[in-house]
Amino acid sequence: SNDRIMLPEHVAFIMDGNGRWAKQRNKPRFAGHRKGAEVLEGLCNYLFDNGIKTASFYAFSTENWSRPQDEVEKLMSLMMRMLKKNVPRFIKDEIRLVVSGDLDSERISASNKKAILEAVEKTRFFTRGTINICFNYGAKSEIVHAANAAVKKGQPITEQTIAENLWVGDLPDVDLVIRTSGEQRLSNFMLWQCAYSEMYFTDCLWPDFDVSELKKALEWFDGRKRRFGGV
């Protein structure tokens, strides 16, 4: 049935509601993050099996550093554990891993940065699908970074040179943004890449967002007529 449905090439997820999910179950916030990480892993299989080429996930924003230190540390170790666990799977499944964000920040330890860059390097030539983890990411910072990088290379500032120098590099623009748990805003996520995205908002909390919820979003997307500013 998939050949009849218009599929997005690039789906981006703003994974919201881990804390609320945990609170509803009288569990610590971290239990929500852990369950949320499992959801991410499960969705990737479905996306790439069904011909969607690129999936981006807003894993850690530049604003997230203001959270309690304990939660930040747990999020960091969760991220590193996920990488370690999934890199062999990415290699087996020929999935390219991209990590977008300010990896040069002094807040990211040298060993974590090294592990991230090594994971990215090991998968960089795979073409079956791309998973982009936005980590220490903020869209405004990304655009500033791209402009500075272009200037440094002696390039004129054009849409083309900004696009080439973004942290996400050669990824296509986002066709569909999915945000869970009822919030309806972009929160400084991929502003450049989302210029013409369709936006799907659901009250479903991220840890409860499963393949059936994803299918609802894809069917909704199929029903939109995309005009890209034309008629």
Side-chain angles (χ1 to χ4, degrees):
S1 69
N2 275 338
D3 48 8
R4 283 183 295 125
I5 175 167
M6 179 178 75
L7 286 174
E9 188 185 349
H10 185 175
V11 183
F13 297 88
I14 301 176
M15 308 177 283
D16 226 354
N18 291 344
R20 258 171 283 180
W21 182 89
K23 199 175 174 185
Q24 286 172 5
R25 287 161 181 72
N26 293 316
K27 291 181 172 179
R29 278 179 72 86
F30 185 66
H33 293 310
R34 205 168 42 217
K35 176 77 166 73
E38 289 167 21
V39 167
L40 187 165
E41 293 170 356
L43 289 179
C44 284
N45 281 344
Y46 179 84
L47 289 165
F48 300 135
D49 285 349
N50 285 281
I52 290 162
K53 295 297 282 183
T54 309
S56 290
F57 295 91
Y58 204 4
F60 194 90
S61 80
T62 45
E63 286 79 32
N64 286 155
W65 295 106
S66 61
R67 291 188 176 188
Q69 182 66 25
D70 174 55
E71 187 179 352
V72 168
E73 279 168 15
K74 282 183 168 155
L75 278 168
M76 284 294 129
S77 65
L78 178 66
M79 163 89 179
M80 301 320 293
R81 274 209 312 276
M82 269 187 75
L83 271 189
K84 213 182 208 144
K85 176 179 144 199
N86 283 292
V87 166
R89 205 188 93 197
F90 293 152
I91 292 169
K92 183 171 85 49
D93 294 345
E94 304 197 342
I95 300 298
R96 177 173 69 138
L97 171 70
V98 173
V99 178
S100 307
D102 181 8
L103 298 182
D104 294 325
S105 161
E106 67 283 355
R107 287 167 145 160
I108 296 171
S109 72
S111 61
N112 281 356
K113 179 182 173 179
K114 185 169 177 274
I116 290 168
L117 294 178
E118 279 174 2
V120 166
E121 181 59 35
K122 281 177 186 157
T123 66
R124 62 185 282 217
F125 296 114
F126 293 136
T127 56
R128 186 170 153 251
T130 298
I131 173 172
N132 170 37
I133 303 290
C134 295
F135 175 71
N136 197 26
Y137 177 91
K140 288 184 178 182
S141 302
E142 178 179 43
I143 294 165
V144 170
H145 158 84
N148 282 323
V151 168
K152 218 174 182 166
K153 294 175 187 171
Q155 296 174 321
I157 298 290
T158 65
E159 288 190 17
Q160 184 62 39
T161 62
I162 296 273
E164 282 168 15
N165 288 289
L166 293 166
W167 283 320
V168 304
D170 64 350
L171 299 188
D173 280 348
V174 176
D175 299 304
L176 172 63
V177 179
I178 296 174
R179 182 164 191 158
T180 53
S181 93
E183 306 299 340
Q184 300 193 7
R185 53 179 178 268
L186 272 175
S187 299
N188 199 18
F189 179 60
M190 296 186 97
L191 299 176
W192 184 276
Q193 299 86 344
C194 289
Y196 286 105
S197 306
E198 298 294 333
M199 295 188 177
Y200 178 85
F201 300 111
T202 172
D203 289 332
C204 177
L205 303 177
W206 179 252
D208 293 326
F209 192 87
D210 55 13
V211 166
S212 69
E213 290 289 338
L214 176 61
K215 282 181 180 166
K216 279 186 215 169
L218 294 174
E219 275 161 22
W220 174 89
F221 176 83
D222 185 48
R224 310 286 300 162
K225 291 214 176 7
R226 305 188 68 210
R227 296 190 184 86
F228 296 100
V231 286

